[in-house]
Amino acid sequence: MIPGNRMLMVILLCQVLLGGTASLIPEEGRKKFADQNQAGERRSPQNHELLREFEATLLNMFGLHRRPQPNKSAVVPQYMLDLYRLQSGDDVPHDSSFEYPERSTSRANTVRSFHHEEHLELMPGQRQDTQLRFVFNISAVPESEVLSSAELRLYREQIDTVLNWKEGFHRINVYEIMKASGRQGDLITRLLDTRLVHQNRSRWESFDVSPAVLRWTLQRQPNHGLAVEVIHLNETRSRQGMHVRMSRSLRPMYGDWSQFRPLLVTFSHDGKGHALIRRAKRSSKGPKRKKNRSHCRRHSLYVDFSDVGWNDWIVAPPGYQAFYCHGDCPFPLADHLNSTNHAIVQTLVNSVNSNIPKACCVPTELSPISMLYLDEYDKVVLKNYQEMVVEGCGCR
Ligand SMILES: *[C@@H]1O[C@H](CO)[C@@H](O)[C@H](O)[C@H]1NC(C)=O
Ligand SMILES: *[C@@H]1O[C@H](CO)[C@@H](O)[C@H](O)[C@H]1NC(C)=O
Ligand SMILES: *[C@@H]1O[C@H](CO)[C@@H](O)[C@H](O)[C@H]1NC(C)=O
Ligand SMILES: *[C@@H]1O[C@H](CO)[C@@H](O)[C@H](O)[C@H]1NC(C)=O
Ligand SMILES: *[C@@H]1O[C@H](CO)[C@@H](O)[C@H](O)[C@H]1NC(C)=O
Ligand SMILES: *[C@@H]1O[C@H](CO)[C@@H](O)[C@H](O)[C@H]1NC(C)=O
């Protein structure tokens, strides 16, 4: 069975087993248990054991070895938040120049972001002001994930000092470092992407670095990093290198480096379920039929991640509506109970021979959710998880 399905089951099972004393209490029941807890919170060792097992099962489904314990200073890039928001059909992005990477996400169910190793920026004997090296440690991408593309994102900041708009052109070249030769400043590189920009605008620029990242992962070639070069085409020396925020040392007083520093974004697929296709805001379903409330139907079940203290590593959502299926599957089965011919026959047999059980009320349609979280290495990950939400129930 696909993990997502199991995940929902574990949540539901846990709900039943732990009752009020521990985790993931449904919204309806929360108040009651909160009152109980005021009398003195007591968790039996048995429940502790169960909770640990529950956590381990969930982490396994998330493909994590242990519970991430993110550094308090870990930064979630705005780009990842915007991707998450758009992906879940939630909101408009924060950044007006944001473009949803439709092509990349159509082949991926996981997006990961990386910052570079700042202490490796300068290569020995290198001309510091125009070219820098960016080494991204992407070893956090599990082997089970197949990478399909990657982009390097650089932020450039408007500089207003030129009087004539015919000045202020820059060329940004992005290279892969194929070999860092021993001799000073001697690099063997190949050009990956290039762009001509004018310094009259502030915005993020995205460069396609897929060929390099695919070589490092699929072909297991050594990762010597990327080199980025910014050439000021209309020489005004004082402004050299200031337009593109490549290094912490450039314009140090200006803005928040952690949000404007270069970012490597990888798109990969772990073979489980659908790609990150942009979802439309959920519309409410069609006209409601008058139904018998005790019949098989969908009920509300809000899973709050803060109940297991997971809100420190799950950035978004804070919790989600999982729903569950419950109710009677009476004889004769009505059409709206989404039954199968088999369920109809079983219910028929049950009506004459009670040794044969009735059909069960189970999920017949499930949908995925996206989650944004920090992994064990403080790397930010956006991932689609299959079959997390009940969309429809039926007698089966
Ligand atoms: C947390 O991050 C800060 C800044 O990056 C670093 O100085 C510190 O050592 C980190 N702490 C841990 C426990 O990794
Ligand atoms: C890369 O990161 C991993 C953890 O993700 C760490 O174990 C490894 O030492 C790092 N490698 C380098 C060269 O920094
Ligand atoms: C910025 O420069 C570009 C390139 O010359 C030009 O096309 C554009 O109109 C300028 N934009 C603004 C806001 O000045
Ligand atoms: C600045 O560089 C651009 C691009 O090479 C060129 O088209 C433009 O004429 C230059 N402007 C001046 C004033 O030299
Ligand atoms: C709803 O169905 C149950 C059997 O599943 C039946 O006992 C009950 O009378 C029905 N209620 C209404 C209002 O039809
Ligand atoms: C039957 O399935 C449809 C579509 O999956 C769903 O909208 C409907 O609510 C389901 N019926 C019940 C009783 O849950």
Side-chain angles (χ1 to χ4, degrees):
M1 199 185 276
I2 302 169
N5 227 336
R6 239 183 301 139
M7 168 148 187
L8 200 59
M9 250 167 55
V10 170
I11 291 172
L12 297 179
L13 189 71
C14 198
Q15 211 89 54
V16 174
L17 292 177
L18 297 182
T21 51
S23 67
L24 298 171
I25 304 156
E27 207 149 43
E28 307 134 84
R30 181 102 41 86
K31 199 162 177 291
K32 191 174 84 200
F33 296 124
D35 294 345
Q36 277 179 5
N37 281 348
Q38 274 173 358
E41 192 171 340
R42 273 189 317 166
R43 285 185 185 177
S44 69
Q46 205 183 350
N47 276 344
H48 257 304
E49 188 63 28
L50 206 56
L51 191 61
R52 212 170 320 122
E53 210 167 285
F54 168 64
E55 219 180 51
T57 311
L58 279 185
L59 288 174
N60 188 27
M61 285 166 192
F62 287 141
L64 298 167
H65 304 301
R66 55 176 182 275
R67 181 194 190 292
Q69 305 200 301
N71 189 332
K72 290 266 186 299
S73 60
V75 173
V76 178
Q78 188 60 45
Y79 181 65
M80 295 296 279
L81 285 169
D82 284 348
L83 266 186
Y84 167 78
R85 287 205 192 115
L86 272 162
Q87 218 285 307
S88 40
D90 247 22
D91 216 333
V92 284
H94 183 263
D95 168 13
S96 58
S97 64
F98 184 93
E99 284 159 23
Y100 191 77
E102 208 87 47
R103 269 198 60 190
S104 299
T105 53
S106 70
R107 289 174 294 170
N109 74 346
T110 309
V111 185
R112 295 173 184 273
S113 68
F114 301 87
H115 287 139
H116 70 287
E117 310 284 327
E118 287 182 78
H119 63 281
L120 299 174
E121 268 176 12
L122 287 177
M123 292 160 281
Q126 192 208 336
R127 290 168 301 137
Q128 151 175 10
D129 52 353
T130 61
Q131 202 179 51
L132 287 177
R133 175 170 60 174
F134 293 88
V135 177
F136 296 93
N137 181 352
I138 58 168
S139 66
V141 181
E143 299 217 338
S144 56
E145 271 177 30
V146 179
L147 247 119
S148 50
S149 57
E151 58 172 327
L152 175 68
R153 297 177 59 78
L154 299 174
Y155 189 69
R156 58 189 188 89
E157 249 156 351
Q158 183 178 351
I159 301 175
D160 294 319
T161 50
V162 276
L163 306 164
N164 179 352
W165 71 264
K166 284 187 173 165
E167 289 175 12
F169 283 93
H170 301 250
R171 180 163 288 286
I172 307 174
N173 294 325
V174 177
Y175 303 90
E176 177 184 1
I177 301 175
M178 307 300 284
K179 201 173 163 199
S181 115
R183 269 171 297 140
Q184 295 211 326
D186 249 11
L187 287 181
I188 297 169
T189 59
R190 66 162 171 165
L191 186 66
L192 294 170
D193 205 351
T194 176
R195 190 155 309 145
L196 180 68
V197 298
H198 191 273
Q199 68 186 30
N200 63 3
R201 252 195 100 180
S202 292
R203 59 163 287 161
W204 284 94
E205 296 291 342
S206 164
F207 297 87
D208 183 9
V209 294
S210 308
V213 178
L214 290 178
R215 260 170 38 84
W216 302 334
T217 53
L218 293 186
Q219 296 178 28
R220 296 168 191 279
Q221 298 297 311
N223 172 358
H224 297 296
L226 304 170
V228 178
E229 179 179 49
V230 179
I231 303 165
H232 198 311
L233 296 174
N234 314 112
E235 206 72 31
T236 46
R237 282 178 204 290
S238 62
R239 290 288 152 203
Q240 191 78 298
M242 294 285 261
H243 178 47
V244 182
R245 296 213 64 185
M246 295 219 291
S247 175
R248 194 188 287 269
S249 60
L250 297 169
R251 311 181 84 187
M253 304 305 283
Y254 193 95
D256 178 7
W257 167 244
S258 68
Q259 277 299 349
F260 292 110
R261 60 186 290 183
L263 191 70
L264 180 76
V265 182
T266 65
F267 298 87
S268 54
H269 205 299
D270 60 11
K272 294 175 191 149
H274 296 291
L276 287 155
I277 295 159
R278 248 176 101 172
R279 239 162 292 158
K281 221 179 172 73
R282 277 214 180 90
S283 57
S284 53
K285 294 269 162 68
K288 272 200 179 128
R289 217 181 287 116
K290 240 206 155 49
K291 285 179 197 164
N292 185 328
R293 305 272 307 162
S294 75
H295 284 177
C296 174
R297 65 186 176 91
R298 197 173 73 155
H299 299 260
S300 165
L301 167 60
Y302 187 78
V303 175
D304 190 334
F305 294 128
S306 66
D307 281 345
V308 269
W310 278 16
N311 46 345
D312 62 345
W313 66 275
I314 297 180
V315 179
Y320 80 105
Q321 187 59 260
F323 297 108
Y324 70 101
C325 296
H326 182 72
D328 298 329
C329 292
F331 174 78
L333 283 178
D335 282 349
H336 69 270
L337 292 177
N338 290 330
S339 42
T340 55
N341 283 339
H342 179 268
I344 292 168
V345 171
Q346 189 176 333
T347 308
L348 182 69
V349 174
N350 164 266
S351 69
V352 293
N353 178 357
S354 59
N355 286 334
I356 304 299
K358 281 182 184 175
C360 290
C361 179
V362 294
T364 53
E365 194 189 333
L366 295 156
S367 65
I369 61 164
S370 321
M371 282 181 28
L372 186 65
Y373 65 88
L374 290 151
D375 71 7
E376 300 129 284
Y377 314 106
D378 289 353
K379 301 284 189 279
V380 182
V381 183
L382 170 67
K383 209 172 172 96
N384 221 16
Y385 288 99
Q386 284 312 110
E387 304 182 323
M388 295 280 285
V389 178
V390 175
E391 292 292 330
C393 299
C395 293
R396 294 288 160 94

